[in-house]
mmCIF file of all heavy atoms in Angstrom:
data_model
loop_
_atom_site.group_PDB
_atom_site.id
_atom_site.type_symbol
_atom_site.label_atom_id
_atom_site.label_comp_id
_atom_site.label_asym_id
_atom_site.label_seq_id
_atom_site.Cartn_x
_atom_site.Cartn_y
_atom_site.Cartn_z
ATOM 1 N N GLY G 18 0.795 -1.214 0.000
ATOM 2 C CA GLY G 18 0.000 0.000 0.000
ATOM 3 C C GLY G 18 0.832 1.270 0.000
ATOM 4 O O GLY G 18 0.307 2.369 0.051
ATOM 5 N N GLY G 19 2.147 1.124 -0.059
ATOM 6 C CA GLY G 19 3.044 2.278 -0.055
ATOM 7 C C GLY G 19 4.190 2.076 -1.028
ATOM 8 O O GLY G 19 4.023 1.489 -2.092
ATOM 9 N N ASP G 20 5.355 2.533 -0.642
ATOM 10 C CA ASP G 20 6.542 2.366 -1.472
ATOM 11 C C ASP G 20 6.922 0.889 -1.522
ATOM 12 O O ASP G 20 6.797 0.172 -0.521
ATOM 13 C CB ASP G 20 7.710 3.167 -0.888
ATOM 14 C CG ASP G 20 7.435 4.661 -0.838
ATOM 15 O OD1 ASP G 20 6.545 5.132 -1.571
ATOM 16 O OD2 ASP G 20 8.125 5.354 -0.069
ATOM 17 N N HIS G 21 7.406 0.431 -2.686
ATOM 18 C CA HIS G 21 7.799 -0.962 -2.842
ATOM 19 C C HIS G 21 8.651 -1.141 -4.096
ATOM 20 O O HIS G 21 8.746 -0.246 -4.921
ATOM 21 C CB HIS G 21 6.567 -1.882 -2.896
ATOM 22 C CG HIS G 21 5.611 -1.542 -3.997
ATOM 23 N ND1 HIS G 21 4.691 -0.506 -3.887
ATOM 24 C CD2 HIS G 21 5.438 -2.060 -5.233
ATOM 25 C CE1 HIS G 21 3.985 -0.433 -5.009
ATOM 26 N NE2 HIS G 21 4.424 -1.354 -5.842
ATOM 27 N N VAL G 22 9.273 -2.316 -4.202
ATOM 28 C CA VAL G 22 9.978 -2.707 -5.410
ATOM 29 C C VAL G 22 8.983 -3.503 -6.244
ATOM 30 O O VAL G 22 8.394 -4.467 -5.761
ATOM 31 C CB VAL G 22 11.225 -3.568 -5.090
ATOM 32 C CG1 VAL G 22 11.886 -4.055 -6.376
ATOM 33 C CG2 VAL G 22 12.214 -2.793 -4.230
ATOM 34 N N MET G 23 8.782 -3.095 -7.496
ATOM 35 C CA MET G 23 7.797 -3.726 -8.381
ATOM 36 C C MET G 23 8.505 -4.531 -9.459
ATOM 37 O O MET G 23 9.411 -4.023 -10.120
ATOM 38 C CB MET G 23 6.925 -2.640 -9.026
ATOM 39 C CG MET G 23 5.755 -3.161 -9.789
ATOM 40 S SD MET G 23 4.511 -3.733 -8.621
ATOM 41 C CE MET G 23 3.486 -4.675 -9.721
ATOM 42 N N PHE G 24 8.095 -5.791 -9.613
ATOM 43 C CA PHE G 24 8.616 -6.677 -10.649
ATOM 44 C C PHE G 24 7.529 -6.839 -11.710
ATOM 45 O O PHE G 24 6.435 -7.308 -11.396
ATOM 46 C CB PHE G 24 8.933 -8.059 -10.070
ATOM 47 C CG PHE G 24 9.920 -8.030 -8.935
ATOM 48 C CD1 PHE G 24 9.490 -7.858 -7.627
ATOM 49 C CD2 PHE G 24 11.272 -8.179 -9.173
ATOM 50 C CE1 PHE G 24 10.385 -7.838 -6.578
ATOM 51 C CE2 PHE G 24 12.179 -8.164 -8.123
ATOM 52 C CZ PHE G 24 11.736 -7.987 -6.827
ATOM 53 N N MET G 25 7.823 -6.479 -12.946
ATOM 54 C CA MET G 25 6.837 -6.578 -14.029
ATOM 55 C C MET G 25 7.370 -7.506 -15.118
ATOM 56 O O MET G 25 8.537 -7.395 -15.504
ATOM 57 C CB MET G 25 6.537 -5.195 -14.591
ATOM 58 C CG MET G 25 5.871 -4.302 -13.542
ATOM 59 S SD MET G 25 5.834 -2.574 -14.008
ATOM 60 C CE MET G 25 7.546 -2.137 -13.817
ATOM 61 N N GLY G 26 6.507 -8.408 -15.578
ATOM 62 C CA GLY G 26 6.928 -9.389 -16.563
ATOM 63 C C GLY G 26 7.777 -10.469 -15.912
ATOM 64 O O GLY G 26 8.920 -10.704 -16.307
ATOM 65 N N LEU G 27 7.203 -11.135 -14.899
ATOM 66 C CA LEU G 27 7.946 -12.170 -14.169
ATOM 67 C C LEU G 27 8.454 -13.245 -15.130
ATOM 68 O O LEU G 27 7.725 -13.713 -16.007
ATOM 69 C CB LEU G 27 7.065 -12.817 -13.103
ATOM 70 C CG LEU G 27 6.593 -11.921 -11.958
ATOM 71 C CD1 LEU G 27 5.740 -12.726 -10.981
ATOM 72 C CD2 LEU G 27 7.755 -11.256 -11.258
ATOM 73 N N VAL G 28 9.705 -13.640 -14.946
ATOM 74 C CA VAL G 28 10.322 -14.683 -15.759
ATOM 75 C C VAL G 28 9.740 -16.043 -15.372
ATOM 76 O O VAL G 28 9.541 -16.904 -16.219
ATOM 77 C CB VAL G 28 11.854 -14.652 -15.571
ATOM 78 C CG1 VAL G 28 12.523 -15.811 -16.267
ATOM 79 C CG2 VAL G 28 12.411 -13.331 -16.073
ATOM 80 N N ALA G 29 9.452 -16.226 -14.088
ATOM 81 C CA ALA G 29 8.856 -17.446 -13.543
ATOM 82 C C ALA G 29 7.981 -17.026 -12.362
ATOM 83 O O ALA G 29 8.198 -15.970 -11.772
ATOM 84 C CB ALA G 29 9.939 -18.411 -13.080
ATOM 85 N N PRO G 30 6.998 -17.854 -12.022
ATOM 86 C CA PRO G 30 6.140 -17.495 -10.883
ATOM 87 C C PRO G 30 6.936 -17.380 -9.584
ATOM 88 O O PRO G 30 7.936 -18.069 -9.400
ATOM 89 C CB PRO G 30 5.157 -18.673 -10.799
ATOM 90 C CG PRO G 30 5.256 -19.392 -12.092
ATOM 91 C CD PRO G 30 6.619 -19.119 -12.634
ATOM 92 N N PHE G 31 6.506 -16.485 -8.714
ATOM 93 C CA PHE G 31 7.069 -16.410 -7.370
ATOM 94 C C PHE G 31 6.466 -17.582 -6.593
ATOM 95 O O PHE G 31 5.261 -17.628 -6.380
ATOM 96 C CB PHE G 31 6.696 -15.092 -6.681
ATOM 97 C CG PHE G 31 7.522 -13.899 -7.109
ATOM 98 C CD1 PHE G 31 8.459 -13.968 -8.121
ATOM 99 C CD2 PHE G 31 7.354 -12.695 -6.463
ATOM 100 C CE1 PHE G 31 9.210 -12.864 -8.489
ATOM 101 C CE2 PHE G 31 8.101 -11.575 -6.821
ATOM 102 C CZ PHE G 31 9.037 -11.661 -7.829
ATOM 103 N N GLU G 32 7.300 -18.524 -6.180
ATOM 104 C CA GLU G 32 6.823 -19.692 -5.454
ATOM 105 C C GLU G 32 7.147 -19.553 -3.979
ATOM 106 O O GLU G 32 8.274 -19.205 -3.612
ATOM 107 C CB GLU G 32 7.438 -20.958 -6.032
ATOM 108 C CG GLU G 32 7.039 -21.131 -7.488
ATOM 109 C CD GLU G 32 7.105 -22.560 -7.953
ATOM 110 O OE1 GLU G 32 7.189 -23.479 -7.119
ATOM 111 O OE2 GLU G 32 7.058 -22.743 -9.175
ATOM 112 N N HIS G 33 6.148 -19.830 -3.145
ATOM 113 C CA HIS G 33 6.294 -19.714 -1.694
ATOM 114 C C HIS G 33 7.532 -20.482 -1.235
ATOM 115 O O HIS G 33 7.736 -21.635 -1.598
ATOM 116 C CB HIS G 33 5.043 -20.251 -1.001
ATOM 117 C CG HIS G 33 5.074 -20.057 0.477
ATOM 118 N ND1 HIS G 33 4.863 -18.827 1.058
ATOM 119 C CD2 HIS G 33 5.319 -20.919 1.493
ATOM 120 C CE1 HIS G 33 4.959 -18.943 2.366
ATOM 121 N NE2 HIS G 33 5.238 -20.200 2.651
ATOM 122 N N GLY G 34 8.381 -19.820 -0.456
ATOM 123 C CA GLY G 34 9.576 -20.451 0.083
ATOM 124 C C GLY G 34 10.822 -20.265 -0.776
ATOM 125 O O GLY G 34 11.930 -20.494 -0.310
ATOM 126 N N ALA G 35 10.654 -19.851 -2.027
ATOM 127 C CA ALA G 35 11.805 -19.588 -2.895
ATOM 128 C C ALA G 35 12.388 -18.219 -2.540
ATOM 129 O O ALA G 35 11.864 -17.525 -1.666
ATOM 130 C CB ALA G 35 11.367 -19.625 -4.360
ATOM 131 N N THR G 36 13.449 -17.837 -3.204
ATOM 132 C CA THR G 36 14.006 -16.505 -3.011
ATOM 133 C C THR G 36 14.139 -15.797 -4.355
ATOM 134 O O THR G 36 14.251 -16.437 -5.395
ATOM 135 C CB THR G 36 15.389 -16.536 -2.322
ATOM 136 O OG1 THR G 36 16.289 -17.288 -3.122
ATOM 137 C CG2 THR G 36 15.305 -17.109 -0.927
ATOM 138 N N VAL G 37 14.109 -14.481 -4.300
ATOM 139 C CA VAL G 37 14.248 -13.638 -5.483
ATOM 140 C C VAL G 37 15.525 -12.808 -5.298
ATOM 141 O O VAL G 37 15.607 -12.020 -4.345
ATOM 142 C CB VAL G 37 13.031 -12.693 -5.645
ATOM 143 C CG1 VAL G 37 13.207 -11.798 -6.855
ATOM 144 C CG2 VAL G 37 11.741 -13.489 -5.731
ATOM 145 N N PRO G 38 16.517 -12.988 -6.172
ATOM 146 C CA PRO G 38 17.725 -12.165 -6.049
ATOM 147 C C PRO G 38 17.453 -10.740 -6.521
ATOM 148 O O PRO G 38 16.896 -10.532 -7.593
ATOM 149 C CB PRO G 38 18.731 -12.866 -6.966
ATOM 150 C CG PRO G 38 17.890 -13.599 -7.965
ATOM 151 C CD PRO G 38 16.596 -13.932 -7.274
ATOM 152 N N VAL G 39 17.823 -9.769 -5.687
ATOM 153 C CA VAL G 39 17.578 -8.368 -6.002
ATOM 154 C C VAL G 39 18.846 -7.576 -5.665
ATOM 155 O O VAL G 39 19.475 -7.820 -4.633
ATOM 156 C CB VAL G 39 16.395 -7.796 -5.186
ATOM 157 C CG1 VAL G 39 16.164 -6.325 -5.499
ATOM 158 C CG2 VAL G 39 15.129 -8.601 -5.441
ATOM 159 N N THR G 40 19.186 -6.655 -6.541
ATOM 160 C CA THR G 40 20.265 -5.710 -6.264
ATOM 161 C C THR G 40 19.631 -4.348 -6.074
ATOM 162 O O THR G 40 18.946 -3.841 -6.964
ATOM 163 C CB THR G 40 21.287 -5.665 -7.419
ATOM 164 O OG1 THR G 40 21.839 -6.973 -7.602
ATOM 165 C CG2 THR G 40 22.406 -4.678 -7.116
ATOM 166 N N LEU G 41 19.819 -3.779 -4.891
ATOM 167 C CA LEU G 41 19.341 -2.431 -4.608
ATOM 168 C C LEU G 41 20.504 -1.473 -4.832
ATOM 169 O O LEU G 41 21.620 -1.725 -4.360
ATOM 170 C CB LEU G 41 18.845 -2.332 -3.166
ATOM 171 C CG LEU G 41 17.688 -3.268 -2.807
ATOM 172 C CD1 LEU G 41 17.383 -3.182 -1.318
ATOM 173 C CD2 LEU G 41 16.468 -2.971 -3.637
ATOM 174 N N VAL G 42 20.252 -0.403 -5.554
ATOM 175 C CA VAL G 42 21.313 0.544 -5.885
ATOM 176 C C VAL G 42 21.041 1.859 -5.150
ATOM 177 O O VAL G 42 19.990 2.473 -5.345
ATOM 178 C CB VAL G 42 21.401 0.783 -7.406
ATOM 179 C CG1 VAL G 42 22.542 1.739 -7.733
ATOM 180 C CG2 VAL G 42 21.578 -0.546 -8.152
ATOM 181 N N PHE G 43 22.006 2.241 -4.315
ATOM 182 C CA PHE G 43 21.896 3.453 -3.512
ATOM 183 C C PHE G 43 22.835 4.520 -4.056
ATOM 184 O O PHE G 43 23.897 4.212 -4.588
ATOM 185 C CB PHE G 43 22.232 3.163 -2.046
ATOM 186 C CG PHE G 43 21.248 2.246 -1.392
ATOM 187 C CD1 PHE G 43 21.394 0.869 -1.476
ATOM 188 C CD2 PHE G 43 20.156 2.763 -0.702
ATOM 189 C CE1 PHE G 43 20.475 0.018 -0.884
ATOM 190 C CE2 PHE G 43 19.232 1.914 -0.112
ATOM 191 C CZ PHE G 43 19.392 0.542 -0.203
ATOM 192 N N GLU G 44 22.432 5.758 -3.896
ATOM 193 C CA GLU G 44 23.220 6.891 -4.372
ATOM 194 C C GLU G 44 24.623 6.904 -3.754
ATOM 195 O O GLU G 44 25.609 7.112 -4.455
ATOM 196 C CB GLU G 44 22.476 8.174 -4.011
ATOM 197 C CG GLU G 44 22.761 9.358 -4.875
ATOM 198 C CD GLU G 44 21.746 10.459 -4.602
ATOM 199 O OE1 GLU G 44 21.668 10.944 -3.456
ATOM 200 O OE2 GLU G 44 21.023 10.808 -5.551
ATOM 201 N N LYS G 45 24.719 6.655 -2.453
ATOM 202 C CA LYS G 45 26.008 6.705 -1.757
ATOM 203 C C LYS G 45 26.556 5.327 -1.446
ATOM 204 O O LYS G 45 27.744 5.082 -1.588
ATOM 205 C CB LYS G 45 25.879 7.525 -0.469
ATOM 206 C CG LYS G 45 25.591 8.992 -0.729
ATOM 207 C CD LYS G 45 25.551 9.791 0.547
ATOM 208 C CE LYS G 45 25.365 11.244 0.212
ATOM 209 N NZ LYS G 45 24.142 11.804 0.689
ATOM 210 N N ALA G 46 25.713 4.429 -0.987
ATOM 211 C CA ALA G 46 26.171 3.110 -0.554
ATOM 212 C C ALA G 46 26.463 2.178 -1.721
ATOM 213 O O ALA G 46 27.080 1.138 -1.535
ATOM 214 C CB ALA G 46 25.139 2.472 0.369
ATOM 215 N N GLY G 47 26.019 2.533 -2.914
ATOM 216 C CA GLY G 47 26.266 1.669 -4.062
ATOM 217 C C GLY G 47 25.303 0.498 -4.089
ATOM 218 O O GLY G 47 24.162 0.598 -3.644
ATOM 219 N N GLU G 48 25.772 -0.626 -4.590
ATOM 220 C CA GLU G 48 24.922 -1.803 -4.763
ATOM 221 C C GLU G 48 24.898 -2.668 -3.506
ATOM 222 O O GLU G 48 25.938 -2.932 -2.917
ATOM 223 C CB GLU G 48 25.409 -2.638 -5.942
ATOM 224 C CG GLU G 48 25.285 -1.928 -7.268
ATOM 225 C CD GLU G 48 25.699 -2.793 -8.449
ATOM 226 O OE1 GLU G 48 26.150 -3.941 -8.246
ATOM 227 O OE2 GLU G 48 25.564 -2.313 -9.582
ATOM 228 N N VAL G 49 23.701 -3.079 -3.134
ATOM 229 C CA VAL G 49 23.515 -4.010 -2.025
ATOM 230 C C VAL G 49 22.683 -5.166 -2.561
ATOM 231 O O VAL G 49 21.561 -4.967 -3.033
ATOM 232 C CB VAL G 49 22.804 -3.334 -0.827
ATOM 233 C CG1 VAL G 49 22.550 -4.340 0.284
ATOM 234 C CG2 VAL G 49 23.624 -2.150 -0.311
ATOM 235 N N GLU G 50 23.258 -6.369 -2.504
ATOM 236 C CA GLU G 50 22.556 -7.547 -3.018
ATOM 237 C C GLU G 50 21.834 -8.256 -1.886
ATOM 238 O O GLU G 50 22.356 -8.357 -0.775
ATOM 239 C CB GLU G 50 23.554 -8.484 -3.701
ATOM 240 C CG GLU G 50 24.177 -7.862 -4.932
ATOM 241 C CD GLU G 50 25.166 -8.772 -5.623
ATOM 242 O OE1 GLU G 50 25.286 -9.958 -5.250
ATOM 243 O OE2 GLU G 50 25.840 -8.287 -6.552
ATOM 244 N N ILE G 51 20.651 -8.761 -2.206
ATOM 245 C CA ILE G 51 19.844 -9.474 -1.212
ATOM 246 C C ILE G 51 19.037 -10.562 -1.918
ATOM 247 O O ILE G 51 18.615 -10.383 -3.062
ATOM 248 C CB ILE G 51 18.906 -8.493 -0.457
ATOM 249 C CG1 ILE G 51 18.093 -9.223 0.614
ATOM 250 C CG2 ILE G 51 18.019 -7.729 -1.420
ATOM 251 C CD1 ILE G 51 17.275 -8.310 1.506
ATOM 252 N N ASP G 52 18.869 -11.690 -1.248
ATOM 253 C CA ASP G 52 17.954 -12.731 -1.706
ATOM 254 C C ASP G 52 16.687 -12.568 -0.886
ATOM 255 O O ASP G 52 16.686 -12.819 0.322
ATOM 256 C CB ASP G 52 18.554 -14.126 -1.508
ATOM 257 C CG ASP G 52 19.655 -14.413 -2.518
ATOM 258 O OD1 ASP G 52 19.530 -13.963 -3.671
ATOM 259 O OD2 ASP G 52 20.646 -15.068 -2.153
#
């Protein structure tokens, strides 16, 4: 209902219990990778 990361055109369904690799890019901190 607020700010979020939006994935459009999923390559595969999001399956419960799986992980989605995401790289967040910050102006100062640079890239932060998270599953």
